[in-house]
Amino acid sequence: MLRRLLPCIGVACSLFALADARPFTKKDVHFLSLPTKLAKDHSGRGGDPADKYFHESTFHPHYDGRFVDHEIPDSQRLPELSNLVQSYLSTMQDIGVETWIQHGTLLGWWWNRKILPWDSDLDLQVDEASMTFLANYYNMTIHNFKPPKSDESGEYEDGYEVEGEDQEDEGRAYMLEINPHYSNPSPTDRLNMIDARWVDTITGLFIDVTAVRKNDSAPEPGTLSCKDGHHYRDSDIFPLRESIFEGQVVKIPYAYSEILLEEYGEKALTRTSFNGWVEFYSACQRQPININNSHKWNQETLVWEPFNPIRKFAPPSPARPRLGSPLK
């Protein structure tokens, strides 16, 4: 059973923030002001363009390098992502913000109400008013949440203990950070398409949160859009449906199947095997093959199960790299 969100601590306590909403300044948060155990910043801040606010880590695009300097073991990625989304959903419910899953996270829900086993990030949305509310009252707040997959000793079900985690505390610390560029709705702001992040300060994993806004310039009335270029009809999203995701109550878009079909195509909803090699090869530009990320759908257990495909691929020529959908 999930525990209720504990009082926030650290950079800015939401109890005081409710009485004193401060305006944004478009400056990066100083590394030393964060609740991190690192002595060195491992984010890409030094090499990123000056106008970019969120800086992914130098070792993986789905980690926050201000908190960690390495990836967690692959066996813990899914349990930690599950804890991450449960902590976010529980917190948003406690503070009264309506949020819903989208993109690959919604696709995972469609298959079996769980995170896709090859995913390393999560995507959720809020409306514009909610993003403004979070920016005014909850930016840079720390929230404690006791992951349901850990016991009082701090160890997870498979015995893995997260380095740096205080076993005597009241739960894992998660940070909500709002991009000050959220108020700019233009899709031309390509460096700041993500409006907010919910960050696990122990593992460095995070959730991308984007705001859905009314698009009055669209030819069709009732059009909604995000800075990342996605467009919806208001009837695609609202009224939200209630379901379960990773054991937690969650909201999903009303026309979820139409949204998934438009974004991923029909095969994403019907193909029962995932070829991890293609995705790995495309993303890493002809690096060694990682066949262990391939999965097949088990219709009896309703679980994506890993498998090792016995296949050999001829390396494509540098002039024409092999590209393809990760779904097979």
Side-chain angles (χ1 to χ4, degrees):
M1 180 178 294
L2 297 176
R3 294 194 179 187
R4 184 174 176 79
L5 176 69
L6 299 172
C8 66
I9 58 175
V11 180
C13 180
S14 60
L15 296 178
F16 293 102
L18 288 171
D20 184 16
R22 294 180 173 84
F24 267 129
T25 56
K26 293 189 177 182
K27 295 174 62 178
D28 285 344
V29 176
H30 196 282
F31 169 69
L32 295 178
S33 70
L34 297 171
T36 179
K37 296 181 182 294
L38 296 183
K40 178 183 176 181
D41 185 359
H42 291 270
S43 74
R45 178 181 181 184
D48 285 342
D51 291 336
K52 180 176 170 60
Y53 182 76
F54 285 126
H55 307 285
E56 294 73 28
S57 78
T58 55
F59 57 88
H60 194 286
H62 294 154
Y63 283 80
D64 191 323
R66 298 172 299 176
F67 298 100
V68 293
D69 57 5
H70 62 278
E71 299 177 46
I72 62 174
D74 192 61
S75 63
Q76 281 303 304
R77 179 174 44 83
L78 282 179
E80 292 294 354
L81 286 173
S82 179
N83 292 334
L84 182 66
V85 72
Q86 290 180 62
S87 68
Y88 170 83
L89 292 171
S90 177
T91 302
M92 293 302 107
Q93 182 180 17
D94 280 356
I95 64 179
V97 170
E98 191 169 59
T99 186
W100 58 94
I101 55 176
Q102 195 61 275
H103 307 312
T105 308
L106 182 63
L107 183 60
W109 169 89
W110 189 90
W111 278 97
N112 62 353
R113 310 303 190 255
K114 292 184 177 294
I115 299 166
L116 292 170
W118 52 86
D119 257 357
S120 57
D121 68 335
L122 298 162
D123 297 287
L124 285 97
Q125 293 179 336
V126 298
D127 61 30
E128 187 174 20
S130 294
M131 184 62 69
T132 301
F133 171 75
L134 292 173
N136 287 339
Y137 300 114
Y138 288 93
N139 184 39
M140 300 308 297
T141 52
I142 303 294
H143 305 265
N144 288 76
F145 179 84
K146 191 72 171 180
K149 290 185 180 298
S150 64
D151 57 26
E152 294 180 357
S153 69
E155 295 186 355
Y156 287 79
E157 291 178 346
D158 66 354
Y160 175 73
E161 184 177 324
V162 178
E163 182 180 355
E165 186 162 21
D166 185 356
Q167 297 180 14
E168 302 300 325
D169 68 10
E170 295 297 329
R172 181 77 60 83
Y174 298 87
M175 184 178 76
L176 178 63
E177 183 172 9
I178 312 298
N179 187 336
H181 298 269
Y182 86 93
S183 58
N184 175 12
S186 174
T188 61
D189 186 13
R190 302 293 296 173
L191 297 174
N192 295 289
M193 294 186 295
I194 304 303
D195 295 305
R197 274 185 176 159
W198 178 260
V199 186
D200 184 331
T201 64
I202 296 297
T203 67
L205 294 168
F206 55 77
I207 292 174
D208 283 335
V209 185
T210 53
V212 176
R213 303 169 170 88
K214 290 183 179 180
N215 188 343
D216 295 328
S217 64
E220 184 179 348
T223 297
L224 305 175
S225 63
C226 301
K227 289 177 70 171
D228 59 11
H230 287 91
H231 296 269
Y232 313 95
R233 295 181 299 271
D234 54 4
S235 58
D236 290 337
I237 304 291
F238 304 106
L240 293 168
R241 299 175 186 264
E242 189 171 285
S243 185
I244 297 293
F245 183 68
E246 291 292 334
Q248 176 80 11
V249 175
V250 72
K251 297 292 181 65
I252 62 170
Y254 182 79
Y256 57 86
S257 57
E258 289 85 350
I259 289 174
L260 289 172
L261 284 169
E262 182 175 348
E263 184 168 0
Y264 296 106
E266 183 178 355
K267 290 182 178 180
L269 307 184
T270 57
R271 283 178 171 173
T272 56
S273 63
F274 172 87
N275 191 334
W277 182 85
V278 175
E279 182 185 47
F280 186 84
Y281 194 95
S282 302
C284 298
Q285 301 177 357
R286 299 185 298 278
Q287 294 298 311
I289 296 172
N290 178 8
I291 63 174
N292 291 328
N293 203 26
S294 297
H295 288 76
K296 280 188 175 181
W297 176 252
N298 187 322
Q299 186 59 41
E300 294 183 0
T301 62
L302 302 182
V303 170
W304 285 99
E305 298 177 344
F307 79 107
N308 292 329
I310 304 175
R311 296 181 63 181
K312 292 183 179 181
F313 297 90
S317 64
R320 299 189 64 180
R322 188 188 191 97
L323 299 176
S325 167
L327 291 171
K328 177 189 172 186

